[in-house]
Amino acid sequence: MKTVLAYGDSLTWGSCPETGGRHPASHRWPDVLAAALGDSVTVITNGLRGRTTAYDEYLADCDRNGVRILPTIINTYAPVDLVIILLGANDMKPHICGTAIGALQGVRRLTQIAKNHMQGLSNGHRAKVLIVAPPPLVESDDPEFRAMFDGGIEESRKLASLYEKLAREMDVAFFDAGTVAEASTLDGVHLDAENTKKIGVALAPHVKKLLAV
Amino acid sequence: MKTVLAYGDSLTWGSCPETGGRHPASHRWPDVLAAALGDSVTVITNGLRGRTTAYDEYLADCDRNGVRILPTIINTYAPVDLVIILLGANDMKPHICGTAIGALQGVRRLTQIAKNHMQGLSNGHRAKVLIVAPPPLVESDDPEFRAMFDGGIEESRKLASLYEKLAREMDVAFFDAGTVAEASTLDGVHLDAENTKKIGVALAPHVKKLLAV
Amino acid sequence: MKTVLAYGDSLTWGSCPETGGRHPASHRWPDVLAAALGDSVTVITNGLRGRTTAYDEYLADCDRNGVRILPTIINTYAPVDLVIILLGANDMKPHICGTAIGALQGVRRLTQIAKNHMQGLSNGHRAKVLIVAPPPLVESDDPEFRAMFDGGIEESRKLASLYEKLAREMDVAFFDAGTVAEASTLDGVHLDAENTKKIGVALAPHVKKLLAV
Amino acid sequence: MKTVLAYGDSLTWGSCPETGGRHPASHRWPDVLAAALGDSVTVITNGLRGRTTAYDEYLADCDRNGVRILPTIINTYAPVDLVIILLGANDMKPHICGTAIGALQGVRRLTQIAKNHMQGLSNGHRAKVLIVAPPPLVESDDPEFRAMFDGGIEESRKLASLYEKLAREMDVAFFDAGTVAEASTLDGVHLDAENTKKIGVALAPHVKKLLAV
Amino acid sequence: MKTVLAYGDSLTWGSCPETGGRHPASHRWPDVLAAALGDSVTVITNGLRGRTTAYDEYLADCDRNGVRILPTIINTYAPVDLVIILLGANDMKPHICGTAIGALQGVRRLTQIAKNHMQGLSNGHRAKVLIVAPPPLVESDDPEFRAMFDGGIEESRKLASLYEKLAREMDVAFFDAGTVAEASTLDGVHLDAENTKKIGVALAPHVKKLLAV
Amino acid sequence: MKTVLAYGDSLTWGSCPETGGRHPASHRWPDVLAAALGDSVTVITNGLRGRTTAYDEYLADCDRNGVRILPTIINTYAPVDLVIILLGANDMKPHICGTAIGALQGVRRLTQIAKNHMQGLSNGHRAKVLIVAPPPLVESDDPEFRAMFDGGIEESRKLASLYEKLAREMDVAFFDAGTVAEASTLDGVHLDAENTKKIGVALAPHVKKLLAV
């Protein structure tokens, strides 16, 4: 049995841009991926709304800094064989980070942790890493989202090429979710059911290859 | 006896733009409010220079993150009947937050805490909340203040309408201090004695209504 | 679909006292519970080795303070309908806490959080709570475990009655895992496969009743 | 106008051992002290239930570490002329600290902060310090309090002489509240109305002398 | 014997823009300074790559906030006679701080700490302070550095005059390293061997005067 | 050139039990070690009074938790070839940790960090580790030290055998400083000049072997 940790934000939790609630499990990309991978792989959905790559924020009653929590999450699900990192959208908020280069550096640190974290097992088990670039932000009619992500559309479009270069630099896998899915114009950030499902479908062959299943 | 907590920054502490020191109590808005409310209400002045809504900073030898300290302060003065939140000016510094939308989100979190914080009393006492928008920043001749709040004048002008909408969304009270007071041109941020007093006078009827006194 | 969060330590992760590794999923109590509850309930296993109720420790490369992480975990799996708290064994280490009364107070705080945490959903969804007392520590031949939990056997025997009283005080559910399972004499703390399975079986009717499934 | 900061725990907040609620202001020692000092002195009551001298705890939804919060509180009430420190009772809980010598060291650090903290005023204003030893814990019939403060009666009896020696060492003032007040046997820790008032009365001449009023 | 603490970032550690590694000791400015000062002075090199003046970041596996670590470092080398602060370049990253005025405020706080920190010695020993402005950033061909320090060239050019004014305000010494050294065009930030040596040579007479050696 | 990091507490800083001040460099064990090793090795003295292995304390104005600071220190002196860990005495204070088994676990975590910390160098440089057990505490006439370390003499005597076993378990080097030095009866903890020098002399052959110099 192999374990895949899907470490992300609201795109992984499954925020529905229409209702503001959560997509049913069957529409979330980690569940779609799990269905495609079959019974020999467990996919852990770990998506926290508002999670940043590596930046503090105190705007919700929980720790949203992806770097500070990742070691706890890996240990909780150890042995973890693959960590899929799908983060960066929340970094586009100017009051959090505001730049693609800032998100890049957060993902670099997350990748270092995921690759090197000792999982507390006698055999020195370590995880592989797959970096996924989020679909770029798009124009929307929601004025608070527009203000909250001011300048984010342009910056978010830089993420895929930056993350791809990082993956090569660190010798981990990469996938650009923007090649198969796009954000909803309802809020400019989140994915409707069809688009979140597409990510799960598209990741399946990559994960199978990485896990050799 | 009712208790009102005036939770703010230097505008609540009473920074004098002329001397850099503290206005005497008789000129600070919480004391003016207290005088107007009479003996059945205690007004606690809790203004910390440099306090942000929800953003860390390490530029002084004390914790200036408004979100992290608010629970301690509410418990210290429990039972608290009304929390007046007058924050956001320090968020206008680009190296702290820099945007009105960032301040809005900080005040949203402060309001969540103030409304829901359990005060450690057997009767489940909770506080009401009154959000007060600070007077917008203005042009000044102090070069360090101008640089420190670069772009802040425009952003600070957005606070009142954003806070008002937030108050409706969260079903709490709102007052725009910019309707009765304006910042001093000496430093562009702080209030002279007349202007700070005006806020206390203007808040009195709103507070009386909220406390039914 | 209902969601149950199994929030615990190594007893929930599934530490095997014989191998030092992890029991297979089929032997862990949350999976046994899930099987008994059927398809209308999802059980999230969230067991972190070394997790304390509310006490800091820096002896591993992750945050083990149960209080600080719980809000993040609830939000990650929101909407959560029931939080099962099975913690306290690690509090028995003298350098962490060392007393049953200390563990009691940690569980009280965890219960306050679990009951009151706003899960970021428009309907104000809150979770129910089931407190589970861990089986008491027993004598063992492992000298490091004996020293690490010095005095813990006696203190751990007090947990069940303290937790039961707390559950009544806070109007939440309670189960004493010590009535169906006992720690292994190999290390004095962890559960062999049979004993961890017994907890899942025994919890099933309690959880069904709480969730009305 | 002089400002006195009464920095303490539930003994300063005014916990009533009979009701579990708060004594009315007229019965709390800081208010009694204020009445005795007259209009030229403001006494700030800053008592937080559960506050420790210098020890972290995560058993309530607020920061209870006295050392970490003191700079924020001094700055909030600056200029502060005298800080009265009445802490140590909560340190007697074994899971927090458990020893008189630990409380002594916490009070030493608090005194360093109070004496040396720069209050952000151009004249370099610093505060004086008055250390007050709490009345020793006493036997009680409340089983949770007895367990929570196990061993605390004996340790708490050592506080007065340790604090007195510390005050001499650091050249600050000292008063032993145990010479005029005693804890209630209802819970072994808190003060009934008469006993809390006695502390305010007894402190008045010491504070007058220190402030030269 | 006098002790000088060189508190800085990669410019003090000795990052080589050509190799990405560390300059040999003989090329680092603190060692060059030590050689010039002679045997009666010990120079402690304390340069951490990525260190900011006062801003948190979680992009490396260590604490890079200069304010939070400085007290530990001073105490480690106590008695310290002079703290040389050469920081600000990393503050130019937009996702960390992004403005010269933000760096200025960080250095103000560092200077307050360095001047006032009690070093735990019975004689109340305090350190002198020498603020050094880093050479401004320059154009480079490294695309990641260019993006990471976007806007930094212009902001970094403001540091010298801001730091000089601060030094006068706080009555400490000042030196502008940009008068003797310039950053390498290889990465736009770091110093080649010749330029780092020049800083040590240039600082020597200033340090001699401050220490009266 | 090889670099050795001497990571410790007051025994490494060089606290003199007679004066309360610092031994001159020539009497401190890291300097004695450096002299014995010759010019091809740099020995970095990093001793912080009050440093614990892994336990928080807020009794001084600096971070004394050895685990939290070690990554910063290693990076500051990178490339580090050997980390000598001489800690545990301060863990003997009951209000910090109080048990040898607690100190053991702190040293285990420090050793994990020292062995595995990536030093930010392209060649993946890692350090070796040498664990040194401190000389046991002894009886003294200083009443505050006696109270502060209550029970510590017995616990400290267990450290050498526990650390030795840990070193074997983690495949790092070990030396028992108690075989060559003993604490002064003046305060029961610190070392006079002769005894601190003996540690440096005794460590030299071990370090030479580890560094192959």
Side-chain angles (χ1 to χ4, degrees), chain E residues 121-136:
Chain E
L121 299 158
S122 55
N123 60 1
H125 187 88
R126 303 282 172 105
K128 293 184 176 182
V129 176
L130 167 56
I131 299 173
V132 181

Side-chain angles (χ1 to χ4, degrees), chain A residues 42-107:
Chain A
T42 298
V43 179
I44 305 290
T45 304
N46 198 283
L48 178 73
R49 287 160 288 169
R51 179 172 280 159
T52 67
T53 60
Y55 299 96
D56 270 351
E57 67 118 282
Y58 297 89
L59 303 174
D61 186 10
C62 64
D63 193 334
R64 286 175 158 182
N65 186 322
V67 158
R68 205 162 39 216
I69 296 293
L70 182 55
T72 294
I73 301 301
I74 291 178
N75 271 15
T76 300
Y77 295 107
V80 173
D81 297 285
L82 175 67
V83 179
I84 303 178
I85 300 171
L86 171 39
L87 284 167
N90 290 301
D91 294 43
M92 299 300 99
K93 300 169 187 165
H95 56 282
I96 299 299
C97 166
T99 66
I101 199 80
L104 169 72
Q105 291 178 90
V107 174

Side-chain angles (χ1 to χ4, degrees), chain C residues 2-6 33 37 41-44 80 82 84 207 211:
Chain C
K2 302 278 190 178
T3 297
V4 173
L5 173 63
L33 173 62
L37 293 175
V41 181
T42 299
V43 179
I44 306 290
V80 172
L82 174 67
I84 302 178
V207 173
L211 296 182

Side-chain angles (χ1 to χ4, degrees), chain C residues 135-201:
Chain C
L137 306 184
V138 299
E139 291 290 350
S140 93
D141 291 335
D142 183 315
E144 186 172 333
F145 267 76
R146 276 216 314 276
M148 191 158 65
F149 287 97
D150 186 37
I153 294 175
E154 187 182 7
E155 284 299 308
S156 70
R157 286 180 182 147
K158 301 176 186 170
L159 291 176
S161 65
L162 288 171
Y163 285 13
E164 184 171 21
K165 183 155 166 276
L166 173 69
R168 279 199 305 270
E169 168 197 323
M170 300 192 73
D171 196 20
V172 299
F174 169 76
F175 179 73
D176 177 8
T179 59
V180 297
E182 54 187 21
S184 163
T185 54
L186 288 172
D187 60 21
V189 179
H190 295 122
L191 305 173
D192 63 23
E194 285 314 303
N195 279 282
T196 181
K197 284 199 280 189
K198 282 178 186 168
I199 294 177
V201 171

Side-chain angles (χ1 to χ4, degrees), chain E residues 13 21-22 44-49 51 61-64 68-69 71-73 75-79 117 119-121, chain F residues 13 21-22 44-49 51 61-64 69 71-73 75-79 117 119-121:
Chain E
W13 183 74
R22 191 176 190 182
I44 305 289
T45 304
N46 198 283
L48 179 74
R49 286 159 288 170
R51 180 173 277 158
D61 187 11
C62 65
D63 193 335
R64 288 176 156 180
R68 204 161 40 216
I69 297 292
T72 294
I73 302 300
N75 272 14
T76 300
Y77 295 107
H117 189 72
Q119 302 190 14
L121 299 158
Chain F
W13 183 75
R22 190 177 190 181
I44 306 288
T45 305
N46 198 283
L48 178 75
R49 287 159 287 171
R51 180 171 280 158
D61 187 11
C62 66
D63 193 335
R64 288 176 157 181
I69 297 292
T72 294
I73 301 302
N75 272 13
T76 299
Y77 295 108
H117 189 73
Q119 302 191 15
L121 298 160

Side-chain angles (χ1 to χ4, degrees), chain B residues 178-206:
Chain B
T179 60
V180 298
E182 55 188 22
S184 163
T185 55
L186 289 172
D187 60 21
V189 179
H190 294 123
L191 306 173
D192 64 24
E194 284 314 302
N195 279 282
T196 182
K197 284 200 281 187
K198 281 177 185 168
I199 294 176
V201 171
L203 285 176
H206 296 269

Side-chain angles (χ1 to χ4, degrees), chain B residues 8 10 31 46-47 51 57 69 88 97 122 153 180 194 197 199 208:
Chain B
S10 56
D31 292 83
N46 197 283
R51 179 172 280 159
E57 67 119 282
I69 296 293
C97 165
S122 55
I153 295 176
V180 298
E194 284 314 302
K197 284 200 281 187
I199 294 176
K208 282 181 182 170

